[in-house]
Amino acid sequence: MIPALDPVRLTEHIHGHLGWLAAAALVHPAIVLRNRMRRAHLAVCLSLGLVTLVGAMGAWLYPHYTGKLKQGIFLHAPTIGFLFERKEHLAFAAIGLAWAGAIAYAVAPRVKEEKTRLALRTAAFRAFVVAAVLAIATATLGTIVATYKTF
């Protein structure tokens, strides 16, 4: 007999795997944008889309986590609970920086002044570097929490 498919559990597993993929994907624009003149439309768009999708999945999962797992985790392993809370903050920052980097990247070619265009491309590069680091930290913390307790 095949057990019933729980959509929350399935989404949680997909969210975790895609979270690592999103972290890796954010490394790509961070690398290619080192060259401020290089075009990286696909790297920027795909990594931004993936990290946004993973964040939306996490937002959808959060009420389920709060209702089913959070209290038990905090009662039995408060350190793990606080790691999850930090994970949320880091994820939000990673998504925000990815969006900021993508916006700076998209606006740069439309700016007439060379100095400003270069500053925007530099800001895009730095935003993606920090977003990638935060996403890797987020995925690591998420893995730690998931190995302790899952749906």
Side-chain angles (χ1 to χ4, degrees), residues 59-138:
W60 182 83
L61 283 168
Y62 188 76
H64 301 284
Y65 161 77
T66 302
K68 293 180 182 178
L69 300 176
K70 186 174 183 177
Q71 184 178 14
I73 291 173
F74 270 98
L75 285 173
H76 300 292
T79 301
I80 300 294
F82 284 116
L83 288 179
F84 184 88
E85 298 298 317
R86 292 312 139 247
K87 170 196 164 311
E88 293 172 4
H89 300 133
L90 294 174
F92 189 81
I95 295 166
L97 283 167
W99 272 94
I103 291 167
Y105 174 81
V107 169
R110 293 163 177 79
V111 174
K112 293 180 183 173
E113 186 180 315
E114 180 67 28
K115 184 177 177 182
T116 305
R117 189 169 40 251
L118 186 59
L120 284 167
R121 291 300 297 265
T122 300
F125 162 69
R126 290 179 180 167
F128 275 106
V129 168
V130 177
V133 169
L134 292 176
I136 291 167
T138 299

